[in-house]
Structures are given as structure tokens and as C-alpha cells.
Amino acid sequence: MTASASASVSPPRSRGRRPGALRIGLARGRVELLGIVREPMALFFTLCFPLFMMLMMGNVFQGDVADTGVPARQPLVAGMIGMGVMSSSFLSLAIGIAQDQSEGTLKRLWGTPAPYASYFIGKIVQVLVAVVLQTTVLLTVGVAAFDVRPPDTAGKWATLAWVVLLGTVACSMLGLLVGSLVRSGRAAPTVATAPFIVLQFISGVYFTLTSMPAWIQTAGALFPLKWVCQGIRSALLPDAFLAAEPAGSWEHAHTAMVLGAWTLAGFAAAVVAVRWQRRRDA
């Protein structure tokens, strides 16, 4: 073949690349969000239930927390934000993934070329949007109705941001794990809600930890919700409230280590559970 002939040959067209896991996951996240918007009951429990609980309990709690001078309704706001973080992450993912398994959604996904990580990215997008909206609503109402002061320094805003974000990730990993292990969509609400309710009462959501027996304080400190609530209190409440904290300090470093440990352990366990589930469905 001559040089001129070879020059006239067009190079082969490169095939377009398939979208990556992140791009597909973001698209799935949009679908997940639309699913919540189109389900009024799901939207109510995701965004409105913690707000309803905060307003109801806030009108029950009167007076100040002993030895602090802080109105009892103000730590309640911090606790309800923490509870909302766990509700929108752990509870939502555990139930949603188990239901998708029961309906065969995950089994069908395993048979497509799409990376299965995209499914979980979509779920995490849904969780992050829900947590941001929920935290904004609860904090706004807390400021307006219960005289909670929003963070007054950049450091406190940063603390609120990293505690909520790290707490969301840690609770999401646990939700992925539970949702992957529970195959029945009907059983998932019971399996996930039972520990969620127990943790609310031993993690300082409604009551100060120093008012509880030592063994309850120890049990609560083993789980993420206690540290999420404590970190949020450190951003919203004055240092006078330290008199009601078991350690007498906000323990930011300890909070980061515990939530980080739960994130890593939950992720590792969830990866194993998802791979086992995938092999079983193959």
C-alpha cells in the first residue's frame, strides 16, 4: 500500500465509554429523591416526624438542666438533630435496601453491566440530601421556637458540619450492613427500628446522660448516636452545659475516633455482606 493510499484510510472510530459508577450513581440518586417526593408518607417520616417529636417533647420539657442554667428544651433540639441523622441514614438505608432485595431490584442489578457500587452511591445521595434538609429544618425551628442559638463562630459551624457528615457516613454504613443481611422487606422495619428506638433512650437524645445509671452511659457510648448528639450539643450549647456531660468535656477527638471506627468497621462488614449476597443471588 502506498503512502498516499494509507493516508486516505480513516482511523477507526473509538467507541464511547460507558458511564462510570459515580455518574450512574448520581443519576440513581435523582431517582431515589423523586421516589421520596412522590411518596407523601415516606416524605413525612423522613422530614416531618423528627420535627413533630421535637415540638411535642419541647413543650413537655420545662425548666433548666440542673447545674447548667441551660433550658432543657435546647439540648433536646441537638438530640433530635442527631436522631434525624440516624433516621435518615441507618433506618432509611436498612429498610430501603432490604425491600429492594425482596422485590428483586438488586438481583436484576447484578445482571446488568452497571457497577453495583452505583446503586449504593444513589442511596447515599438520597441520604445526604435528606440529612441536610432535615438538619436545616430542625435547627431553624429550634432557633425560632426554643431560643437555641446557632453556632456563633466558624469553629462551631465546622464542628456541626463534620459531626453531622461523619455521623451520617457511620450510620449509613450500618444501614448498608443491616439492609444487606435482612432479606425480607417485611421484617426490615422491625429489625431496624427496634435498635433505633433503644439507642434513642440510651444516647442522650431526650435526657441528659448524667441522669442515667452508669451502665446505660457505658452502653450508649459504644454506639454512634451518642457521639453524634454530643458533638451537635458542643456546637449549639454553651460550655456551661459541660456540667451535664459525663466526661465534663466535649471530647471532640474521641467523637471523631469513635465515628471513624464505626465508619471503617461498618464499611468493611457491608462490603463482605454485599459480596456474599451477590454470590447467593447469582
Side-chain angles (χ1 to χ4, degrees):
M1 182 180 291
T2 65
S4 59
S6 61
S8 65
V9 177
S10 300
R13 294 183 181 180
S14 59
R15 296 181 179 179
R17 294 181 179 179
R18 290 184 303 178
L22 178 59
R23 184 176 176 183
I24 298 175
L26 293 176
R28 288 194 61 89
R30 180 176 179 272
V31 173
E32 295 285 350
L33 291 172
L34 288 175
I36 291 182
V37 172
R38 292 169 181 169
E39 292 287 343
M41 290 298 293
L43 185 62
F44 171 79
F45 280 102
T46 300
L47 298 178
C48 299
F49 180 70
L51 176 61
F52 170 77
M53 289 292 295
M54 187 178 78
L55 291 173
M56 182 180 67
M57 299 293 290
N59 286 295
V60 172
F61 291 0
Q62 300 295 328
D64 296 342
V65 178
D67 301 324
T68 67
V70 177
R73 299 185 300 180
Q74 294 185 0
L76 173 68
V77 174
M80 295 307 298
I81 293 175
M83 188 268 277
V85 168
M86 191 168 189
S87 173
S88 296
S89 53
F90 168 75
L91 201 60
S92 174
L93 287 177
I95 295 174
I97 292 173
Q99 289 177 341
D100 284 348
Q101 287 194 101
S102 292
E103 295 168 0
T105 300
L106 286 179
K107 190 172 183 178
R108 290 192 296 271
L109 178 64
W110 301 153
T112 69
Y116 65 85
S118 62
Y119 169 81
F120 299 105
I121 292 174
K123 291 289 188 182
I124 296 298
V125 169
Q126 170 201 323
V127 166
L128 289 175
V129 172
V131 166
V132 170
L133 290 176
Q134 194 173 72
T135 300
T136 302
V137 170
L138 291 173
L139 181 57
T140 301
V141 174
V143 170
F146 299 140
D147 298 323
V148 172
R149 293 184 179 181
D152 53 6
T153 66
K156 287 191 173 184
W157 277 112
T159 297
L160 179 63
W162 73 256
V163 169
V164 169
L165 178 59
L166 189 54
T168 299
V169 174
C171 293
S172 294
M173 294 302 105
L174 294 178
L176 291 177
L177 174 61
V178 172
S180 299
L181 293 176
V182 179
R183 295 180 58 85
S184 171
R186 293 183 178 181
T190 302
V191 173
T193 302
F196 174 63
I197 292 175
V198 172
L199 287 177
Q200 290 180 53
F201 287 95
I202 68 173
S203 301
V205 171
Y206 304 109
F207 311 105
T208 57
L209 290 173
T210 50
S211 65
M212 300 179 182
W215 68 271
I216 291 182
Q217 296 182 35
T218 302
L222 297 175
F223 299 95
L225 184 57
K226 183 264 186 186
W227 299 101
V228 173
C229 293
Q230 182 172 304
I232 296 173
R233 287 196 298 271
S234 74
L236 300 183
L237 303 182
D239 288 343
F241 193 78
L242 288 173
E245 296 290 346
S249 68
W250 295 124
E251 299 181 286
H252 287 150
H254 202 165
T255 298
M257 287 190 294
V258 172
L259 293 179
W262 272 104
T263 297
L264 295 176
F267 176 76
V271 167
V272 173
V274 169
R275 288 179 177 175
W276 171 79
Q277 187 63 54
R278 189 180 185 185
R279 286 196 300 268
R280 184 171 180 175
D281 288 342

